[in-house]
Structures are given as C-alpha cells and as structure tokens.
Amino acid sequence: MNQPRAYFSKPWGYIESISIVLGILLVSIGFEIVSEIPTPILAFPYNLFSLIILFGGSLLIHFFSRSNKTIAWFSSIPASVGAIILFLTLTLIMACVPQQNESHSYQFITNVTSSWAYYCATAYLLLVLGAVTIRRLGSFNRVNLSFFLNHAGLWITIATASLGAGDVAKYRMTLSKDTTEWRAINSQNTIQEFDFALHLYAFEKEEYPAKIACVNPHTGTIYTHNNTLAIFEADSINSFVYNDYTISVQKHLPSSLFFAHEYHPINEYGATQSYYVNITHMPTQTDTSGWISVASIIQPAHYLTINDSTTLAVLSPEAKRYASHVKVYKKNGDMYTAVIEVNKPITIDGFKLYQTGYDETKGRWSDISILEIVHDPWLPFVYFGIFLFLAGTGMIIWFGKKR
Amino acid sequence: MWIHFELFARISLIAWIFAVSLFIFRKSALHIIAEILSLIGIVSLLYFTISLWISLDRPPLRTLGETRLWYSLFLSVIGYALYKRWKYRVFFVYALAMALLFLGINYAKPDIHNKALMPALQSIWFIPHVIVYILGYAFLGFATVLGITGLLHMKKKQETSKTLAEAENLVYIGYGFITFGLLFGALWAKEAWGHYWTWDPKETWALLTWGVYLVWIHMNYTKPYSHKFYFVFLILAFIILLLAWFGVNYLPAAQNSVHVYS
C-alpha cells in the first residue's frame, strides 16, 4: 500500500472522492430543508439549456485538465466511482423507503427523484461521465470503441431520459362508436383539445377459438383429466376422450346467434362462439348431441349435460387482437383512415396513439375504445443512447476482460 | 401440436442429460461427444418450436409453457455459444441444467402449456429479459464462488492472481448480461406502459445491484487495493444481488411492484 498521505493532498484518491460527493449530498439536502424551494420540472427549452450546460461543463473539464491536475482528477476512476456511489446512495433510499409522488418536506427521503439531492447527483454523474467519455476519444481501437459505446451510451440515455421527462405529455382519449372526438384528459384530469379529431367507425376484436371444458354444474369448477384440467382446444382436435365419453366437435361457428332451436352463422351485434358436439357414452354406445356456446351480451350460454355431475361448457374466448378503425380529421382539411392496434400505435403530428382498452363487459361488441396519447419528443435520442449502450454491452460479453 | 411434444422433449432431455454427464469428466474426447449430443438436443427442440409456431399460426409466446420452451432453447443455444467462446465447461453444464429444468417442468406438468399470460407479459421482450437475468446472475454467482475460493487461497498463503483474473472476466460477462436485462426491461416498459423507468422497487434494487458491480469493475481497473478487498467486495455485491432477487417481495417499498411474482 502507499505511504499515508495528508487528506486532500495530491494526487486525490477515493477518500477525496467520497468527501466531495458527501459534500454535494449534504449541501443539496441542506438547501432543500432551509430554502424549501421545490425542484423545477425542466421543460423545453430549459432542459435543452441544461443539457448544453452539462455537456459544456464536461468539455471545460476536459480542456482545463491539461493545465490543472485538480480538474483532470474529475475524469479519473476515483471521481467516477464517487459519482456512481452518490447516485447509488439515493437509489438505496428509494429501494428502502416507499416513494410518494406529491411534493413533501424531506423529499430526499420520500420523493427522491424530485429532490435537489437527486438533481445534483444526476448532474455530477453526467459531468464526470461526460468528461471521462471525451477524454478517451482519440485513437480508435477495439477497447476504446467498447469504452466509448458504454460510456457515451450511458451518458446519452441518462441525459435525454431524465431531461426529456419534463416534455413528456400523456392523455387518455375515449372514443365512442360513430362519434368524433378531439378531446382527451391529461394526468391532471384537465381536458385538452387537439388539432386533430378521430371518428371511430369500427371496433374490431378477434378471438381465439373458445376452449371446451368439462365442469361440475353445481360449483362451476373444471374437472381434471389425466392429471391435467379437462380443457380441450377444439381448433386443433376434432374429438377427445373424457372418462367413458368420446366428445366430437361437428361444427364450430366463430360468430353465431341462437334462434329456432339452433345456432346460425350470423355476424351481428351480440354474436358469439358456438359448437355443435356429439357425446358418445362408450360402454353403452349411446349418443347425445347439442349446441354449446359462450354467453353473449344478448343471449345466455348453452351447456350440454354429460351426466349428473358433469356438464360440457365453452370457456370465454381469449382476445387475439383488438383494434380501432378510425377516420382522422386534421385542421387543414386532411382526412384519412387508420387502424390503431395493441403494439401498433399510430403517429399524428408527433403524438403517438396507443390502443389500450375497450368495454370489457361487452367484449367484441364494445362500442367504446380507449386510447393513450403520448407526446415524447426526446424518445429518439433515448433510444439512440440505449442502442449504443446495448452495442457496448454486447462487446463486454464477447470480449470479457481481455486486454 | 403439443401432443408431439413428448417425442421431441424426450430426445432433448435424453441428449442433454448424457451431455451434462459426459461434461463432468475431464477427457476432451468425451467433451466432443457431449457437444454433439447438446446440439442434437438443441436441433430437436428448435424443430419442435418452429413446427409449433407454424401450427399455431402465431409466435408461441402466449402461455407459460410456451415461454419455458423458449427459455430451454435460448439457454442451451447461448450456453453453447459461450462455451465455444470462453471454454467455460461448468457454464455450459449450468445452462443445459437450467434448460433441462424448464423442459422437465413442461414434460411433467403439461397442463400449464395452456395457462395464458396476462396481456402485459405478451411481449417479445419477456423471454430475452428473463434469460439474460438467468445468465447474468449465474455468471455473478460463479464469480462469487471464485471470490470465496480466492479468500481460502489467501488463508493458505497461495497465489491468487489467476483466481482474481478469472473472477474479473466472469464479472464482466455477468455485468454485461444484467445490463442487457435492465435495458430490455426499459424498452419493454416503454412499449407496455409508455415509461422506460418507473422506479418500481424491483427496478430500483436491480439498478443498485448493477451499480455495485459497476463500482467493482471501476475499482478493479487499476487494482489499487489488495486481492482480499476485491474478493470480499464480490461476496458483498452478491448479497445485494440476492436481496434484489428474493428479498424485494418482502420489503415495505414493494407492495405495488409489477415484479412481485411469488
């Protein structure tokens, strides 16, 4: 080990690094308690200014590093470790104390991400990380590339995600069938009007073929069969055996209504899935046939009795996909149609529209559709940072610690 | 299609069990046979997965049974790739053993094939997110074992440079995988909920774990401290990892976590 040296004598090491971050932590907490000034939510253009100032700060550290050893220290490993530890200290508080969203005194404990300490920790981390990244720019080789991808990727991700958060806007829009809507509710429950309007002309929900189950008619529980639940996928097999019975599916109507003693293939309001099945009791070779179906919003379900303790039923189908078919009207007179589907959002004037819900009590005949509208202008930059970071991580896994 | 599962699963199960047993021996001729057997198991499972995909007419990603199929497939494939890259036999054995476990669950309890996933889990990120954590935790776990080994060596006054160098490499790889885990989780969350990061307790603990290993990597870069420092640090870091993994469910901060799945 080195000779003992005086506190804050050069070259600085870990002790000085920890002292500096402890200073930052105490000053920011002290400022919060004494001043009671809440942290600002940085929206455009102030977040952009902050980004430029932080990046400029890193550049300044880099340029003055040549002439000043103390400034050069801020792009050293001990400085980096200190910056990480400061950030982790606040993370540890969040990890242990349930966080609240409202502003509060002692934010650094109960609402860490809105505290001055968190702002300062993030700023210090970005300053050091930026300076470290710039310092290693220069000769290009594999090790430096991995270094750059990891450090620049992390810098871009943290900087754009945290500073961009102030510009993210979210709204919830409820569309009713055959009506036009241009208003949505934001997170503060106030109504926002948009420069575009949506007309829901169709809501579409596709279902998987409903499964058939052997249930106890008194309790509604599903029996087990060969150690598994007695549920049968009627789309892949035409007949199946349950104890002494062979059950064969004669017909499957994905969309049907019941009248005149049977189901007919009809695709109208309230239509449901139905099966025509034949049950054979094998020891006696006696047959029973009939319709079984899922309940719909206008008709009850149909069951078929196998014996006193067993009934054949159809389970509620699972959603395969659901989508809103809309006409989009814009202020300039443009009009076009679009489909908004889960995981397939559409973009109008920089707003992303996500399909999030519908009236679940009505299932595929829902006459409302719920959309989430998000405006996140910094998203491409965040993704760019994450992409660099992923590439750097891939290099770490592949090359390990080989020098 | 699942009715053909038994045949393919049996081929993979038997091939992998033999492969794992052969890998235990030190003879390199046996390792080549084990490698071939592992590949047979992978191809069999891959063939089944592709046919299942075609027969279902959708990616098999909707039920717990289907996700386990992918775990088995990816763990065996990644285990093999890492074996070719790093020659960590113990790792390949671990990956195959985990793949066997998931395949075995599907084999023994076929009814959970059909247990549908909740909509938020129906994402292409689900499987990669889980797999990289399984691998990352394993690498860091092995690094911890080396940390303990190193301390024992030091007690016996033996040389520890090699042990530390091996541990460093394992930490780098494990750290890489848990970084993937964090980033995949963020990308998934953005798609599912519109935020990449919500400070969910599990996320927070995972970040803490990630940060502790990040500190280790940085402090290890120029090695200003004794080997003992790094070995002890590895053990402490793994305790935080275990807390993040198991402990979070019991914390008061975790009552509304989306990651509570016990």
Side-chain angles (χ1 to χ4, degrees), chain B residues 243-261:
Chain B
L243 262 179
W245 192 359
F246 298 113
V248 170
N249 294 4
Y250 307 104
L251 284 173
Q255 290 321 304
N256 300 311
S257 170
V258 294
H259 284 99
V260 174
Y261 31 58

Side-chain angles (χ1 to χ4, degrees), chain A residues 96-118:
Chain A
C96 297
V97 183
Q99 298 291 298
Q100 292 152 3
N101 255 333
E102 307 98 62
S103 64
H104 218 270
S105 47
Y106 302 102
Q107 302 243 58
F108 64 95
I109 294 173
T110 54
N111 189 5
V112 173
T113 53
S114 300
S115 68
W116 282 104
Y118 181 82

Side-chain angles (χ1 to χ4, degrees), chain B residues 2 5-6 8-14 16-17 45 48 64-73 75-76 95-113:
Chain B
W2 278 108
F5 174 68
E6 292 213 356
F8 291 102
R10 228 175 264 162
I11 295 174
S12 302
L13 280 170
I14 293 167
W16 287 346
I17 288 169
L45 200 61
F48 172 74
L64 280 178
E66 287 165 7
T67 55
R68 273 193 217 101
L69 199 62
W70 288 105
Y71 294 158
S72 289
L73 190 62
L75 283 169
S76 53
L96 283 182
M98 290 302 284
L100 275 169
L101 174 72
F102 288 120
L103 200 59
I105 295 174
N106 270 6
Y107 188 73
K109 289 197 171 265
D111 63 310
I112 35 195
H113 291 336

Side-chain angles (χ1 to χ4, degrees), chain A residues 142 146 150 389-402, chain B residues 78-79 81-88 91 128 131-133 135-137 139-140 168-184 217:
Chain A
R142 197 207 78 217
S146 172
N150 280 294
F389 200 10
L390 284 174
T393 303
M395 287 186 79
I396 288 182
I397 292 174
W398 192 248
F399 293 109
K401 205 189 165 174
K402 279 208 303 189
Chain B
I78 296 172
L82 290 171
Y83 172 67
K84 293 309 272 182
R85 176 72 182 93
W86 291 110
K87 300 282 171 270
Y88 290 141
F91 245 97
I131 284 176
V132 292
Y133 270 118
L135 290 167
Y137 283 6
F139 273 96
L140 297 172
E168 280 166 11
N169 206 40
L170 292 177
V171 170
Y172 269 60
I173 300 171
Y175 164 82
F177 277 116
I178 64 171
T179 310
F180 271 151
L182 278 184
L183 295 177
F184 290 170
I217 285 173

